């Protein structure tokens, strides 16, 4: 094996370790989503290690490495599918484990081989002259699993992007490009694997190419997920998230009750303490950035806990601030007070104020002044 290839594989293992540590660091932000992605990263790193040992003929000194990760590709599809699903529902469900059932079944099927002695494994490897029927069937099953999951992921991303904010659409589009590129690479692997059956060994081995493509895919996906962590975060505070609840929410709920309540208090505190509501034109994306939450989590938390839309909820704070100003400073105009409270026009101020109090700002000021006398 060329030295350059060996060096690149070594870098791949190191890079996998670095990404795994980074994912562990931010895992508390979304325990479910990042845990599934970690499964895929760990699997591909283990495969690279096995390929490095095999193609350096080091397997004679460590025969138990042989086929040790033959079942691992069954983890790829479920880990990516469940990770991407956490964009919409970051909660663990018992049914999620069923996605990993093929990996468990294939591991069980290979267990008799794993229980062989090192000498027996070396003898089998030395006498193997062609790809066995078992290996062909296992390879076909892994291929079907990968195609099924990644096509499902691509369709799912295409569907949810229609209902997302612009910032998250960009993230989804990046994921779609990465998944589409992996499917193209998978097709190339299938073609080479088929050629090996009919033509024998080729200059580019399908196992090695599979390891390279899988590692590039998971590493790029992980880098994007780490860079855009806010889109997956349940909380922007690692310590708070790490000590929070990971209990699955009700079937139709996005987050469990305890997490929803905690995040609502966190957002309310930020909005009041920093007077974020005074920013004119404040929308979901800008408020999400200011509070460190993904837009869809922010909307869900505020809608559920307050029973109001985000704009209506913000207007409540603005009206309260305006009421205090109307009582405290009779020299300022109603328009000036409304604009300072975060409204962008007198009409919007009057409309929101009347919805909250049942009277206009001028009527409120007049009546409170009369009552004071």
């Amino acid at each position: 094996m060329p030295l350059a290839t060996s060096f690149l594989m070594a870098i791949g293992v190191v890079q996998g370790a670095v990404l795994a540590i980074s994912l562990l660091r931010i895992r508390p932000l979304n325990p479910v989503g990042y845990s599934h992605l970690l499964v895929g990263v760990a699997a591909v790193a283990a495969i690279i290690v096995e390929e490095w040992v095999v193609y350096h003929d080091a397997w004679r000194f460590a025969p138990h490495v042989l086929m040790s990760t033959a079942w691992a590709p069954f983890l790829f599809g479920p880990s990516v599918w469940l990770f991407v699903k956490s964009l919409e529902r970051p909660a663990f469900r018992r049914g999620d484990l069923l996605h990993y059932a093929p990996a468990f079944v294939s591991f069980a099927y290979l267990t008799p081989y794993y229980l062989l002695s090192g000498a027996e494994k070396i003898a089998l490897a030395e006498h193997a002259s062609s790809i066995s029927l078992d290996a062909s069937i296992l390879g076909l099953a892994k291929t079907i699993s990968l195609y099924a999951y990644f096509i499902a992921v691509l369709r799912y991303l295409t569907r949810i992007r229609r209902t997302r904010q612009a910032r998250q659409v960009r993230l989804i589009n990046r994921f779609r490009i990465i998944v589409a590129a992996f499917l193209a690479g998978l097709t190339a692997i299938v073609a080479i694997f088929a050629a090996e059956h009919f033509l024998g060994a080729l200059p580019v081995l399908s196992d090695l190419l599979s390891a390279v493509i899988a590692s590039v895919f998971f590493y790029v996906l992980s880098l994007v997920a780490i860079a855009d962590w806010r889109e997956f975060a349940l909380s922007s505070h690692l310590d708070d998230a790490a000590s929070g609840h990971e209990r699955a929410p009700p079937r139709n709920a996005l987050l469990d009750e305890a997490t929803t309540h905690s995040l609502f208090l966190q957002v309310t505190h930020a909005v009041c303490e920093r007077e974020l509501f005074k920013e004119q034109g404040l929308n979901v994306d800008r408020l999400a950035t200011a509070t460190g939450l993904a837009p869809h989590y922010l909307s869900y938390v505020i809608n559920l806990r307050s029973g109001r839309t985000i704009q209506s909820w913000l207007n409540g704070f603005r009206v309260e601030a305006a009421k205090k100003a109307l009582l405290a400073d009779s020299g300022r105009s109603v328009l000036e007070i409304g604009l300072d409270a975060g409204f962008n026009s007198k009409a919007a101020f009057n409309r929101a104020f009347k919805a909250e109090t049942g009277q206009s700002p001028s009527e409120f000021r007049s009546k409170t002044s009369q009552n004071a006398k």
Side-chain angles (χ1 to χ4, degrees), residues 311-324:
Q311 285 305 319
S312 173
W313 183 71
L314 289 172
N315 283 344
F317 293 108
R318 291 166 178 157
V319 168
E320 287 302 314
K323 285 166 65 176
K324 293 177 182 177

Side-chain angles (χ1 to χ4, degrees), residues 8-9 36 56 85 101 105 108 124 145 147-148 198 201 213 230 243 246 276 282 297 324 326 353 368 370:
L8 288 175
M9 293 183 75
H36 288 301
H56 278 83
K85 286 284 284 185
V105 171
L124 285 174
S145 172
Y147 270 117
F198 296 104
I213 290 177
R230 288 185 186 276
S243 61
E246 296 182 23
L276 299 175
L282 183 64
Y297 295 147
K324 293 177 182 177
L326 288 167
F353 198 95
T368 51
Q370 291 175 2

Side-chain angles (χ1 to χ4, degrees), residues 126-149:
E126 288 178 336
H127 290 88
S129 58
S130 61
I131 300 175
S132 67
L133 179 61
D134 285 355
S136 298
I137 294 174
L138 193 62
L140 179 61
K142 288 185 281 191
T143 301
I144 293 173
S145 172
L146 289 169
Y147 270 117
Y149 271 105

Side-chain angles (χ1 to χ4, degrees), residues 56-370:
H56 278 83
D57 283 332
W59 56 269
R60 297 179 185 278
F61 305 100
H64 292 296
V65 172
L66 290 171
M67 293 185 65
S68 59
T69 62
W71 58 277
F74 284 110
L75 299 172
F76 293 169
S79 66
V80 175
W81 169 255
L82 295 170
F83 166 67
V84 170
K85 286 284 284 185
S86 73
L87 275 168
E88 267 194 325
R89 190 181 296 277
F92 172 76
R93 297 180 183 281
R94 294 187 184 90
D96 291 347
L97 294 178
L98 292 176
H99 289 279
Y100 293 108
F104 299 143
V105 171
S106 62
F107 182 85
Y109 177 77
L110 292 168
T111 297
Y113 174 81
Y114 294 148
L115 294 177
L116 294 176
S117 66
E120 289 174 314
K121 290 179 180 179
I122 291 174
L124 285 174
E126 288 178 336
H127 290 88
S129 58
S130 61
I131 300 175
S132 67
L133 179 61
D134 285 355
S136 298
I137 294 174
L138 193 62
L140 179 61
K142 288 185 281 191
T143 301
I144 293 173
S145 172
L146 289 169
Y147 270 117
Y149 271 105
F150 281 87
I151 290 174
V153 167
L154 203 56
R155 294 183 62 183
Y156 173 76
L157 291 172
T158 301
R159 178 177 63 81
I160 66 170
R161 70 189 291 270
R162 303 190 189 108
T163 60
R164 297 295 170 177
Q165 300 288 337
R167 186 176 64 181
Q168 201 169 42
V169 167
R170 289 192 292 272
L171 171 64
I172 291 171
N173 284 338
R174 285 197 287 270
F175 280 167
R176 291 174 70 227
I177 292 171
I178 295 169
V179 172
F182 178 80
L183 284 170
L186 179 61
T187 302
I189 294 170
V190 171
I192 293 175
F193 185 72
E196 287 176 337
H197 274 67
F198 296 104
L199 304 177
L202 299 176
V204 179
L205 299 175
S206 61
D207 287 348
L208 179 59
L209 183 62
S210 300
V212 170
I213 290 177
S215 62
V216 170
F217 167 76
F218 272 100
Y219 294 170
V220 171
L221 187 68
S222 299
L223 288 171
V224 173
I226 292 169
D228 292 284
W229 63 268
R230 288 185 186 276
E231 300 304 325
F232 298 91
L234 301 182
S235 168
S236 61
H237 304 289
L238 287 173
D239 294 337
D240 293 344
S243 61
H245 300 269
E246 296 182 23
R247 178 168 48 88
R251 180 171 296 276
N252 295 323
L254 180 62
L255 303 172
D256 65 76
E257 185 177 349
T259 302
T260 302
H261 178 69
S262 175
L263 293 181
F264 181 71
L265 293 179
Q266 173 187 318
V267 173
T268 302
H269 176 76
V271 169
C272 294
E273 184 74 16
R274 294 154 56 188
E275 296 187 328
L276 299 175
F277 58 85
K278 289 189 174 182
E279 179 185 338
Q280 293 183 5
L282 183 64
N283 58 22
V284 176
D285 279 344
R286 284 154 67 179
L287 182 60
T289 299
T291 56
L293 283 173
H296 57 293
Y297 295 147
L298 179 67
S299 298
Y300 176 83
V301 167
I302 292 176
N303 295 162
L304 186 66
R305 299 303 299 182
S306 71
R308 309 170 71 169
T309 65
I310 287 184
Q311 285 305 319
S312 173
W313 183 71
L314 289 172
N315 283 344
F317 293 108
R318 291 166 178 157
V319 168
E320 287 302 314
K323 285 166 65 176
K324 293 177 182 177
L326 288 167
L327 293 173
D329 192 352
S330 59
R332 298 173 66 196
S333 69
V334 169
L335 176 60
E336 184 182 357
I337 289 174
L339 293 177
D340 186 58
F343 295 100
N344 55 18
S345 69
K346 186 175 182 179
F349 179 33
N350 286 336
R351 190 164 50 248
F353 198 95
K354 193 163 188 177
E356 292 287 331
T357 67
Q359 52 191 328
S360 69
S362 299
E363 291 172 340
F364 174 82
R365 171 181 269 179
S366 176
K367 288 181 179 180
T368 51
S369 297
Q370 291 175 2

